[in-house]
Amino acid sequence: DGGITQSPKYLFRKEGQNVTLSCEQNLNHDAMYWYRQDPGQGLRLIYYSQIVNDFQKGDIAEGYSVSREKKESFPLTVTSAQKNPTAFYLCASSIGGGGNQPQHFGDGTRLSIL
Amino acid sequence: QKEVEQDPGPLSVPEGAIVSLNCTYSNSAFQYFMWYRQYSRKGPELLMYTYSSGNKEDGRFTAQVDKSSKYISLFIRDSQPSDSATYLCAVMDSSYKLIFGSGTRLLVRP
């Protein structure tokens, strides 16, 4: 089945630790996105990539890093510099970054602090 | 002022009712409008996508956009308990980034 796979579903981080969230898509989409969702808030854009080997900061990029070495993969690293990492992280993709290309989402990774 | 405002609810209705979910937005330049449904502990699922003012219908769902009032709505006819979820509106800005409302929780009682 075509879709977006995020792993793991649940992740725990210790103080001072970096953790990496996986996002893989087999939809042959060019654009990929990472969002953060906090209770009672809408999704906020962390990073996005419209093409392999290129990515841009979103609205809340501080404390996060990404890479886009393959079209199907867009991993997100939550670094120790992110002081409030507890949230639900969502990965999305779209055919391209244009206005007529809606985004489709994976089922998320819930990150908590130990 | 937030760019997209959405009443958080919760909104509780009996099965079979017509549900009206609404959002307002601040920037008249927004041109693309979406509704997503999100079940608990799941990712958002695209329900409706519209470009211009007017109505778009898909089964029991109708999306309505009023650009003059900067108001978007989602109507659900013959609501079912399986429609119980959080509904997120989203608009696309001029750089093709999505801006989301905070979501409305809907509960359809059997």
Side-chain angles (χ1 to χ4, degrees):
Chain A
D1 279 5
I4 301 168
T5 301
Q6 290 188 243
S7 61
K9 287 185 74 66
Y10 300 95
L11 187 59
F12 298 91
R13 196 192 88 169
K14 296 179 182 178
E15 287 286 337
Q17 185 182 42
N18 293 352
V19 292
T20 298
L21 285 60
S22 170
C23 178
E24 303 276 332
Q25 53 97 0
N26 60 4
L27 300 167
N28 201 31
H29 285 175
D30 286 314
M32 297 186 75
Y33 312 80
W34 274 105
Y35 291 89
R36 170 181 172 138
Q37 187 175 33
D38 294 282
Q41 296 193 36
L43 281 66
R44 292 183 290 167
L45 182 65
I46 304 172
Y47 267 98
Y48 64 103
S49 167
Q50 298 196 335
I51 197 167
V52 174
N53 292 322
D54 187 46
F55 48 83
Q56 284 79 42
K57 293 182 179 180
D59 301 317
I60 54 164
E62 185 174 348
Y64 301 97
S65 65
V66 293
S67 62
R68 186 84 187 278
E69 297 176 2
K70 298 186 295 183
K71 186 176 184 176
E72 59 269 25
S73 178
F74 191 39
L76 173 74
T77 296
V78 184
T79 75
S80 56
Q82 173 49 246
K83 297 307 178 189
N84 184 23
T86 297
F88 190 44
Y89 289 87
L90 288 158
C91 177
S93 70
S94 63
I95 293 173
N100 59 347
Q101 311 297 343
Q103 294 176 24
H104 300 271
F105 286 83
D107 275 340
T109 292
R110 189 165 299 279
L111 175 62
S112 302
I113 294 294
L114 275 180
Chain B
Q1 182 191 7
K2 288 184 180 179
E3 291 184 279
V4 180
E5 299 270 9
Q6 186 174 7
D7 188 327
L11 178 62
S12 180
V13 301
E15 184 175 353
I18 297 175
V19 175
S20 172
L21 302 165
N22 309 293
C23 286
T24 58
Y25 60 93
S26 59
N27 190 335
S28 57
F30 295 149
Q31 295 190 45
Y32 298 91
F33 309 92
M34 280 147 251
W35 284 96
Y36 287 85
R37 176 176 63 195
Q38 186 176 24
Y39 292 113
S40 181
R41 290 185 287 277
K42 292 287 192 179
E45 171 194 6
L46 181 67
L47 275 181
M48 300 289 282
Y49 166 72
T50 56
Y51 168 67
S52 58
S53 280
N55 292 355
K56 181 176 181 179
E57 190 173 316
D58 184 0
R60 296 185 295 112
F61 298 91
T62 299
Q64 188 175 81
V65 176
D66 182 347
K67 286 189 173 181
S68 61
S69 303
K70 291 181 279 188
Y71 197 82
I72 56 177
S73 301
L74 179 71
F75 299 97
I76 307 174
R77 289 184 299 281
D78 186 25
S79 57
Q80 303 295 308
S82 59
D83 294 327
S84 298
T86 296
Y87 290 80
L88 299 160
C89 64
V91 301
M92 191 172 283
D93 71 11
S94 57
S95 60
Y96 303 122
K97 290 193 295 183
L98 284 184
I99 304 169
F100 285 85
S102 56
T104 299
R105 280 182 52 213
L106 172 66
L107 174 63
V108 181
R109 308 185 305 272

